[in-house]
Each structure stands twice: as structure tokens, then as C-alpha cells.
Amino acid sequence: RNTLGSVKGPPLRQHACRRQKGFARHSLVMKTISKLLHCLPLLGIAGGYSDARDRPDRPSAARTYNYFAFGSNMASSTMINLRNLSPLASTAAVLPAHKLRFNLPGAPLIEPSSASVEPSSGDGDVVHGVLFKLSEDDFATVCRTEGVPFAYVLHRCNVVTYTGDGGTAGASALRREMEGGQARGSSSVSAFTLRAARKSWRDRMDIPPSQGYLNVLVRGAVEYRLDKKYLSFLESIKPGMTIGNGLAEQALSFAELRGQEGRRRIG
């Protein structure tokens, strides 16, 4: 079914264990290198589709996972053209009692940081994003390319889905859920998202991200017509100091060019 439902347990076991700092550093370096490599057209990134909402080319796997994206993965082109994934379905969603953070360190002056989410007890703290339904293979790819479990760890959460209208649809859906979603037909969905792996990262001040990275977040928010208030919040975030605008937006542009070439060859 091309619908979003409950998820089953993760294919990766989550357990508490101490990791050497070198592993975390290595993972961050590899995550940054991965972003750099995505800029190279020689990779032959596959394309052919531009809409994550309708993917008839690949059958749904028996096991699927709900993944809540809040950063650059909100843009469907990131998932399809850059990561070469085939989302089975997607929709706007809001994660209550969490805050958007930029506490995952990257490469200074290039891509200083990446986004994360952290639980919050602040009144009205929410994170809007996109809920993707993924096959098991695609979900494993997201985990691998995002550096789980050294850069990020999987974070189980419940999000409220909504049909974006660029206004207040998300806030309205969340309010209905809080006022008695069970009785009216709940729109809350169990999902996995990503959280900074190390407590020291979670506890420190945010690192301002590149302007290019922020542009991709805004692009995803506009595409899925997230709430206007949240879009304004994203647009108000001040970028950090970088050489140019960083690499995130350029990487996505390269991937889209490859996708266009692929479509021309097919056509």
C-alpha cells in the first residue's frame, strides 16, 4: 500500500555501549567526505523521477519503515537524486516536544554542522518535517549514509501527519491530536528519526550551518508546504562563516543534473 502506517522494529540493534572517540571522529569525517563526493558527477547518481509521492518503478518490500526527515532530507530530490532512494510515500508531519538543533559538527568553513532534533520540555517546541515510508534497504541506506550509530543514533518518536497548505495545517493537526486524537481518529504515526550520537554534542551550543544547507531545508519546507510559521523560522536562521555557501546545495544540483541526463537517455 502506498500509505504510511506503523513501523516494525529497527534492523539495527540499539544498545548502550561505550565507543572510542576515534570511531566518532572517523564517522564524522566519512560523513563529510560523503557530502564532498556527492558533488562529483562521475558518481553516476541515478535519476529518472522527481516526485517522491509516486514511485511505481519499484515494488514495496515486505517490511517498511517510517523515517522522519527534518534536515536536507526533507527535499524529495535529496532522497531520490542525491541518495538514490525510492520512497514509497511521503507527507508533511510535525514532531511535538522536540527542538531543531545544529549540534552535529562537520567541516569548518565548508559544512560546519548538520541538523539534529532533541527532546524538549519547552512550551510549544515542535519540529516540522517530512515523513517518508521506506523499504528496508532504503532505510538501511539512510542509516549508513547518515553515520548511524557514530554521528547519529536512531531516535524513536511519534509524529502527527498533515496535508501541508503553507499556512497552519500542521498546528491544527497537532492541536486536534492533543485534544483527543484517539477518539476522532488519530493521525499520530510511530517513526524513526535521527539524534546527535554524543551527549557532549547535545549539550553544547549550536554550530551555525552553511547558507547552502539552510537553503535545502527551506526548499524541502516549501515543497511539502510546511506551516508558514515554521518556514519563517527556517528562513530566519543565521548561517555560519563558510567559503561560498557550502556544499549541500551544490551537491543536490549536481545530482539533479545527473537525474536529468538519465531521463534524457531513457526518453
Side-chain angles (χ1 to χ4, degrees):
R1 291 184 303 125
N2 193 32
T3 56
L4 290 160
S6 60
V7 295
K8 299 180 182 179
L12 305 175
R13 290 189 305 165
Q14 294 292 297
H15 56 88
C17 63
R18 290 188 176 274
R19 300 284 187 180
Q20 294 181 357
K21 292 182 178 180
F23 283 111
R25 294 195 194 98
H26 173 75
S27 181
L28 288 172
V29 169
M30 293 307 296
K31 179 176 171 63
T32 302
I33 290 175
S34 177
K35 289 182 178 180
L36 291 169
L37 289 176
H38 274 128
C39 292
L40 300 177
L42 297 177
L43 287 178
I45 299 169
Y49 287 88
S50 60
D51 192 350
R53 299 165 182 81
D54 184 14
R55 300 288 292 180
D57 55 322
R58 282 174 55 177
S60 173
R63 175 176 288 185
T64 59
Y65 296 86
N66 288 336
Y67 162 63
F68 177 71
F70 49 80
S72 60
N73 286 344
M74 288 193 296
S76 63
S77 186
T78 299
M79 298 291 277
I80 295 169
N81 291 310
L82 186 61
R83 299 197 184 280
N84 195 23
L85 305 179
S86 297
L88 303 173
S90 60
T91 184
V94 57
L95 174 62
H98 285 72
K99 291 185 69 173
L100 183 68
R101 300 285 308 279
F102 295 93
N103 54 9
L104 196 76
L109 299 179
I110 301 174
E111 284 295 340
S113 65
S114 296
S116 178
V117 293
E118 294 298 333
S120 173
S121 58
D123 185 32
D125 283 343
V126 296
V127 178
H128 288 255
V130 179
L131 183 65
F132 289 99
K133 182 179 182 181
L134 302 175
S135 69
E136 185 169 5
D137 285 347
D138 280 357
F139 182 66
T141 297
V142 169
C143 293
R144 183 177 65 253
T145 57
E146 292 290 0
V148 174
F150 302 110
Y152 288 106
V153 291
L154 289 176
H155 179 58
R156 194 69 179 259
C157 62
N158 286 284
V159 299
V160 176
T161 61
Y162 66 95
T163 300
D165 65 356
T168 60
S172 298
L174 183 58
R175 183 173 61 253
R176 288 193 300 270
E177 184 69 23
M178 297 300 182
E179 290 175 352
Q182 296 297 329
R184 304 180 186 183
S186 176
S187 58
S188 179
V189 176
S190 179
F192 292 102
T193 192
L194 301 175
R195 185 183 183 192
R198 294 172 62 176
K199 186 177 184 299
S200 60
W201 297 340
R202 301 173 192 169
D203 292 343
R204 70 178 174 194
M205 298 281 290
D206 281 3
I207 304 169
S210 72
Q211 182 63 64
Y213 185 76
L214 290 171
N215 290 346
V216 178
L217 267 65
V218 169
R219 174 174 169 173
V222 170
E223 177 184 356
Y224 282 89
R225 304 185 71 190
L226 303 186
D227 279 11
K228 181 178 181 180
K229 182 178 179 180
Y230 193 75
L231 174 60
S232 297
F233 160 68
L234 293 179
E235 292 174 332
S236 71
I237 298 172
K238 293 183 178 180
M241 183 180 296
T242 58
I243 300 172
N245 284 338
L247 292 176
E249 199 170 20
Q250 294 179 30
L252 187 54
S253 296
F254 275 122
E256 288 170 339
L257 287 174
R258 295 296 296 182
Q260 292 171 9
E261 291 176 5
R263 285 190 290 274
R264 282 196 294 269
R265 286 196 297 268
I266 293 173

